């Protein structure tokens, strides 16, 4: 999804979905006025797309979040940022926020990645986090969330698409129409919202961001986790939400890509990049995603026509 100017209208926060606002009485920022000023909304058909972008959370909200999650949060946490899509007639919505994304991070040592000094790094992060005072707890310190968005359980109604042959799951009947999205239709609304980012103590990067692009008859949202642990592994976990405004239909595609750091670096070198070019490419989630193999993919859809 490429950057583009967007025509939009600023409105108050919608209040839909799980709370993105995690401020505390001790640190009242952001105020209601700040929340309103930072919230932008666009209505297309029977759907309303809302985004909110504010600076990195302050220590009070961070402490509260860490106490609730039970793990230290990434260095750059945007606890008040939010992206949501809502269908007014049915009450259906999906939204993306940092807290729920971190709730989906593994809080055991089952999926912990190891570098030479991972244990001491984890201990240091625990000790410097205001809300965590106890013994070091194992958790996935790469913040490789499996988050696909937050929906209300009574209105989600996700269904796995079924093709002409229900026994053949290799070719789902419903897929995101990539050819339609490649058309140069005017972009009516665009935004790019970061939910969290960590440099993994200079061992790489882990970033979760959400881009949304709205056209007259359709829209696409991309929530991407890009994680690279130097000399170990690279991961891209993409959640794409496609909306057909004419049919009131939503398709959600979740794709997991993963490969070793060595294989990724070798692929960049074989593509003709110089060593300096490889270093730059390893920081680019789009370039990394092009080379990593798909290891899992699921597609769901929901029809909201009454």
């Amino acid at each position: 999804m490429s950057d583009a100017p967007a025509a939009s209208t600023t409105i108050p926060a919608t209040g839909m979905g799980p709370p993105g606002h995690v401020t505390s009485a001790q640190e009242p920022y952001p105020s209601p006025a700040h929340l309103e000023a930072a919230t932008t909304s666009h209505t297309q058909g029977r759907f309303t797309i809302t985004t909110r972008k504010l600076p990195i959370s302050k220590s009070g909200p961070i402490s509260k979040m860490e106490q609730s999650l039970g793990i230290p949060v990434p260095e750059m946490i945007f606890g008040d940022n939010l992206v949501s899509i809502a269908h007014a007639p049915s009450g259906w919505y999906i939204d993306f926020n940092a807290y729920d994304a971190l709730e989906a991070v593994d809080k055991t040592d089952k999926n912990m990645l190891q570098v030479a000094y991972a244990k001491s790094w984890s201990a240091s992060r625990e000790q410097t986090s205001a809300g965590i005072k106890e013994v070091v707890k194992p958790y996935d310190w790469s913040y490789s969330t499996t988050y696909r968005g937050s929906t209300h359980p009574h209105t989600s109604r996700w269904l796995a698409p079924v093709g002409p042959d229900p026994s053949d799951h290799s070719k789902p009947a419903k897929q995101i129409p990539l050819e339609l999205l490649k058309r140069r239709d005017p972009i009516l609304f665009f935004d790019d919202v970061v939910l969290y980012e960590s440099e993994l103590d200079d061992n790489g990067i882990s970033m979760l961001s959400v881009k949304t692009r709205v056209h007259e008859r359709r829209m696409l949202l991309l929530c991407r986790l890009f994680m690279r642990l130097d000399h170990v592994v690279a991961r891209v976990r993409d959640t794409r939400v496609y909306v057909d405004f004419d049919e009131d239909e939503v398709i959600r595609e979740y794709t997991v890509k993963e490969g070793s750091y060595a294989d990724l670096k070798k692929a960049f070198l074989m593509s003709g990049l110089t060593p300096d070019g490889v270093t730059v490419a390893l920081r680019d989630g789009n370039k990394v995603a092009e080379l990593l193999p798909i290891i899992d993919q699921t597609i769901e859809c929901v029809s909201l026509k009454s």
Side-chain angles (χ1 to χ4, degrees):
M1 299 179 69
S2 59
D3 202 345
S8 57
T9 305
T10 302
I11 64 163
T14 62
M16 298 177 298
H21 180 39
V22 295
T23 194
S24 69
Q26 289 73 32
E27 294 186 69
Y29 181 83
S31 66
H34 280 115
L35 286 172
E36 179 177 347
T39 304
T40 305
S41 183
H42 178 88
T43 298
Q44 196 70 21
R46 288 167 288 276
F47 290 84
T48 298
I49 301 93
T50 301
T51 64
R52 186 167 68 223
K53 290 197 287 190
L54 281 161
I56 294 173
S57 298
K58 292 190 175 184
S59 61
I62 287 175
S63 176
K64 181 179 178 181
M65 183 180 284
E66 289 181 331
Q67 287 284 7
S68 179
L69 290 169
I71 61 172
V73 301
E75 303 98 279
M76 290 173 278
I77 178 76
F78 299 86
D80 291 290
N81 285 3
L82 178 75
V83 178
S84 71
I85 304 171
H87 183 256
S90 66
W92 178 93
Y93 71 82
I94 184 169
D95 74 32
F96 295 82
N97 64 85
Y99 182 89
D100 286 350
L102 291 170
E103 274 278 42
V105 168
D106 185 12
K107 299 177 180 64
T108 71
D109 59 1
K110 181 180 178 183
N111 295 307
M112 280 184 67
L113 295 169
Q114 297 294 328
V115 295
Y117 47 94
K119 188 173 182 180
S120 61
W121 180 88
S122 178
S124 172
R125 288 284 292 130
E126 292 278 3
Q127 291 164 5
T128 56
S129 296
I132 308 292
K133 302 292 184 185
E134 41 213 324
V135 198
V136 176
K137 294 179 179 177
Y139 67 100
D140 178 8
W141 56 272
S142 73
Y143 299 107
S144 296
T145 182
T146 57
Y147 187 54
R148 307 181 190 192
S150 306
T151 57
H152 193 287
H154 298 303
T155 62
S156 57
R157 298 188 290 179
W158 293 108
L159 298 173
V162 177
D165 179 4
S167 64
D168 182 8
H169 299 287
S170 62
K171 296 180 180 179
K174 291 290 184 182
Q175 294 185 332
I176 293 177
L178 297 178
E179 291 305 314
L180 290 178
L181 291 167
K182 290 177 182 177
R183 292 167 39 171
R184 295 184 176 273
D185 296 334
I187 296 175
L188 306 180
F189 179 80
F190 176 89
D191 213 343
D192 186 356
V193 180
V194 177
L195 298 182
Y196 65 73
E197 183 173 355
S198 171
E199 294 182 352
L200 306 180
D201 200 37
D202 296 327
N203 282 299
I205 187 173
S206 181
M207 181 170 71
L208 185 69
S209 61
V210 186
K211 291 184 180 180
T212 183
R213 189 181 81 203
V214 180
H215 303 281
E216 181 181 2
R217 301 180 64 181
R218 61 192 62 87
M219 72 162 287
L220 181 68
L221 176 151
L222 171 62
C223 177
R224 168 168 286 177
L225 170 82
F226 169 43
M227 193 284 292
R228 186 197 75 246
L229 182 58
D230 292 339
H231 310 294
V232 182
V233 69
R235 291 173 175 159
V236 172
R237 295 177 178 175
D238 286 341
T239 299
R240 288 178 172 85
V241 179
Y242 172 83
V243 179
D244 184 319
F245 295 126
D246 293 335
E247 298 297 325
D248 282 14
E249 185 176 65
V250 182
I251 300 174
R252 178 169 65 177
E253 175 191 280
Y254 179 66
T255 305
V256 178
K257 296 183 176 184
E258 184 169 320
S260 74
Y261 182 91
D263 287 347
L264 181 61
K265 190 173 181 179
K266 181 180 178 180
F268 278 132
L269 286 169
M270 292 183 67
S271 72
L273 290 178
T274 64
D276 286 345
V278 170
T279 299
V280 173
L282 285 168
R283 298 171 183 158
D284 188 327
N286 291 327
K287 293 185 184 300
V288 170
E290 290 174 1
L291 295 181
L292 290 179
I294 295 176
I295 62 172
D296 189 29
Q297 186 176 72
T298 59
I299 299 177
E300 305 165 292
C301 65
V302 58
S303 177
L304 300 170
K305 274 194 171 179
S306 54

